[in-house]
Amino acid sequence: MAITPELQHTVGKTAGFSGTSLHTGEKVSLKLHPAPVDHGIKFKRKDLQDEPTIDAKIDNLKTVERATTLGEGAVRVHTVEHVLSALSAMDVDNAIIEMDANEPPIGDGSAQPYVDLIKKAGVTAQEQPRKFFDVREPMHVESKTGALLVLLPDDTFRISCTQAGPNNRFAQFLSTEITPAIFEREIASARTFVYYEDLQPLMEKNLIKGGSLENAIVVRGEAVLSKEPLRFADEFVRHKILDIIGDLALVGRRIRGHVVAVKPGHAVNAELARALAREQARRSAMSTPRPVPIGDGGLDTDEVMKILPHRYPFLMVDRVIGFEGENKIVAVKSITINEPFFQGHFPGHPVMPGVMQVEAMAQVASLLLFKLAKTTSRIGYFMSADSVKFRKPVLPGDTMFIHAELTKSRGERLAKAKCHCVVNDAVVSEGELMFTFLDK
Ligand SMILES: [Zn+2]
């Protein structure tokens, strides 16, 4: 089953298994069903009236003590992180997780049963592009308990994790890219582990009726207790990575970035997922196609092309929004993935070349100069560019506002303009351009 990384995927057919739930100790059966594009992952409580569903989204996160609980209204699903981790890492974007209890089967405390289930169901591509969250700038969250998660830009989804127990016992480190093959081989079978100190109060309150050495590793002092021996010498850090993937799946998008995690846990993982969801909401609000007014005395594309000799794919101005006084101009250019320069710059990680931004500044500055000269019988030549700085990457989907201000005009033949480009209220590039005019 080949995965096309750009497309959404669902399971090929319904598949299920049953087991014990961790908290109540009762039998639960779980079925994975295919779901249409843009559906995302939803839990369905088959045991309740009207069979309510809960979106696996960060907005529905209720508690993060020991495990991750989602809820909508009065309906809850507990301990969702292992099944979500497997779905996310095995490239399933859309599915219904149907259960007849409030918790998935705990299995052996790892994500292995869910990987087996997904493979039984198969994974199939759907005809819609997948949604990504591209990390553009470093982000981080920190907790009072010393947990730290840093997210850095990267072309792939990677996790570098350091885990440490009480008094730094069982300190372990692992860094890996997360792909379906790597997850299946290196991460999925790592089991839940608990410290005996944390376990005792739960046992007394009878909160883990389904818990046993068959579905968790118990650490008591230096001793590691489990039914079968450790599956990896560093099984604990692998399980921490498994949980990070499951908790970040609540963002609802594929993450392209590098997670650097120090002593992670569900609480701090969830906090990072919230920060990503907030940033995504901000970006969506900024990039929603808005009709940009042409403004008083602005120019539409036709008028721009009457002045500028440039044509597709080299015309870097969609419209002039307006002029301010005699020597200022603001224009706009929508950057789409169809721009020819994205093909080679860079494959798999499209970034608008800086020189194209300078070209856009030059074209906008010439529009201003032509307006001042009130003639199109002369041609402006771009002579020099000084103090050019590229501050942030410009990506497909961005709307770039190009500002130019005439700072010097020596006679009729030479002119200097100060220019900058803005995306999402931040300056992405700037420079000072010089032009000379010659008769056509
Ligand atoms: Zn876990």
Side-chain angles (χ1 to χ4, degrees):
M1 81 196 147
I3 301 290
T4 315
E6 309 79 44
L7 292 179
Q8 295 183 28
H9 290 75
T10 185
V11 287
K13 62 175 200 290
T14 297
F17 80 114
S18 45
T20 312
S21 83
L22 175 65
H23 291 99
T24 61
E26 273 159 26
K27 200 175 169 242
V28 45
S29 68
L30 177 146
K31 277 183 189 157
L32 268 186
H33 297 286
V37 293
D38 294 331
H39 172 281
I41 307 290
K42 290 187 203 315
F43 288 89
K44 184 177 194 175
R45 288 283 304 272
K46 188 96 172 133
D47 56 320
L48 298 181
Q49 205 185 351
D50 301 331
E51 304 183 357
T53 59
I54 299 179
D55 267 313
K57 286 275 173 67
I58 190 70
D59 292 344
N60 290 329
L61 183 72
K62 293 300 171 202
T63 59
V64 287
E65 281 171 59
R66 293 177 303 275
T68 301
T69 293
L70 301 176
E72 261 187 85
V75 184
R76 296 283 180 276
V77 283
H78 303 282
T79 328
V80 296
E81 62 270 20
H82 297 167
V83 60
L84 292 181
S85 180
L87 287 168
S88 168
M90 299 302 283
D91 272 339
V92 179
D93 304 279
N94 304 302
I96 296 169
I97 306 168
E98 181 192 291
M99 308 187 299
D100 58 4
N102 65 3
E103 204 176 23
I106 187 67
D108 61 358
S110 77
Q112 191 61 52
Y114 294 105
V115 168
D116 296 342
L117 183 65
I118 292 162
K119 291 179 81 178
K120 198 161 99 186
V123 178
T124 52
Q126 297 171 291
E127 310 234 306
Q128 272 294 320
R130 176 171 269 174
K131 292 177 181 136
F132 288 92
F133 179 89
D134 281 297
V135 180
R136 295 181 189 173
E137 291 176 321
M139 305 172 69
H140 85 282
V141 294
E142 217 171 334
S143 81
K144 290 190 187 89
T145 57
L148 170 67
L149 294 187
V150 180
L151 191 50
L152 300 168
D154 203 288
D155 293 341
T156 60
F157 181 40
R158 290 171 61 200
I159 301 181
S160 297
C161 182
T162 303
Q163 110 84 29
N167 304 316
N168 287 340
R169 280 183 291 142
F170 302 100
Q172 298 174 359
F173 172 79
L174 185 69
S175 179
T176 178
E177 186 186 339
I178 305 298
T179 65
I182 291 172
F183 184 79
E184 195 185 338
R185 198 175 63 229
E186 308 286 342
I187 305 296
S189 66
R191 291 161 296 170
T192 305
F193 62 98
V194 285
Y195 297 100
Y196 186 76
E197 307 86 285
D198 299 338
L199 209 56
Q200 232 171 346
L202 301 179
M203 290 192 295
E204 278 159 17
K205 285 186 206 152
N206 217 4
L207 280 176
I208 41 169
K209 288 182 191 148
S212 76
L213 288 180
E214 279 176 35
N215 51 38
I217 303 166
V218 177
V219 182
R220 189 172 187 177
E222 294 297 318
V224 174
L225 316 170
S226 67
K227 195 176 164 239
E228 59 170 289
L230 286 177
R231 294 173 176 178
F232 304 94
D234 56 356
E235 187 164 355
F236 297 174
V237 72
R238 290 171 195 252
H239 190 82
K240 287 287 186 184
I241 291 175
L242 190 163
D243 281 340
I244 292 172
I245 299 167
D247 290 335
L248 291 185
L250 296 174
V251 173
R253 282 174 178 257
R254 303 266 135 193
I255 294 167
R256 272 193 289 233
H258 182 183
V259 180
V260 181
V262 179
K263 300 215 290 187
H266 291 303
V268 76
N269 298 348
E271 213 183 309
L272 183 63
R274 272 206 192 89
L276 296 193
R278 265 199 310 272
E279 169 64 10
Q280 183 54 48
R282 196 188 66 84
R283 284 185 196 173
S284 306
M286 300 301 287
S287 63
T288 302
R290 293 175 286 185
V292 177
I294 292 174
D296 256 356
L299 306 170
D300 66 18
T301 316
D302 267 357
E303 292 167 308
V304 167
M305 289 200 291
K306 277 180 199 147
I307 300 172
L308 289 179
H310 311 298
R311 293 295 177 263
Y312 174 86
F314 212 61
L315 180 62
M316 301 308 287
V317 185
D318 291 341
R319 296 176 181 174
V320 174
I321 299 174
F323 297 90
E324 244 182 81
E326 281 284 275
N327 52 2
K328 277 192 190 174
I329 181 172
V330 184
V332 66
K333 161 87 181 140
S334 291
I335 314 299
T336 80
I337 189 63
N338 298 317
E339 307 290 345
F341 48 73
F342 281 134
Q343 281 197 15
H345 195 272
F346 304 97
H349 187 63
V351 176
M352 184 181 187
V355 289
M356 298 310 289
Q357 295 172 46
V358 176
E359 176 61 28
M361 294 178 202
Q363 292 184 12
V364 171
S366 340
L367 282 164
L368 180 62
L369 295 166
F370 281 119
K371 182 175 184 262
L372 286 175
K374 294 185 179 72
T375 168
T376 53
S377 69
R378 288 190 289 166
I379 252 184
Y381 284 93
F382 187 14
M383 284 179 69
S384 70
D386 289 321
S387 315
V388 173
K389 289 203 174 64
F390 303 108
R391 301 192 178 278
K392 287 181 181 215
V394 177
L395 307 173
D398 284 341
T399 301
M400 188 167 81
F401 292 86
I402 308 137
H403 298 250
E405 182 183 1
L406 198 62
T407 52
K408 233 180 248 169
S409 163
R410 265 213 325 253
E412 299 260 280
R413 296 280 163 191
L414 276 178
K416 209 169 189 182
K418 224 175 163 167
C419 307
H420 65 277
C421 297
V422 173
V423 171
N424 290 345
D425 293 331
V427 173
V428 292
S429 52
E430 59 191 53
E432 281 183 34
L433 313 184
M434 176 110 87
F435 300 86
T436 184
F437 294 90
L438 298 172
D439 294 321
K440 263 187 196 167

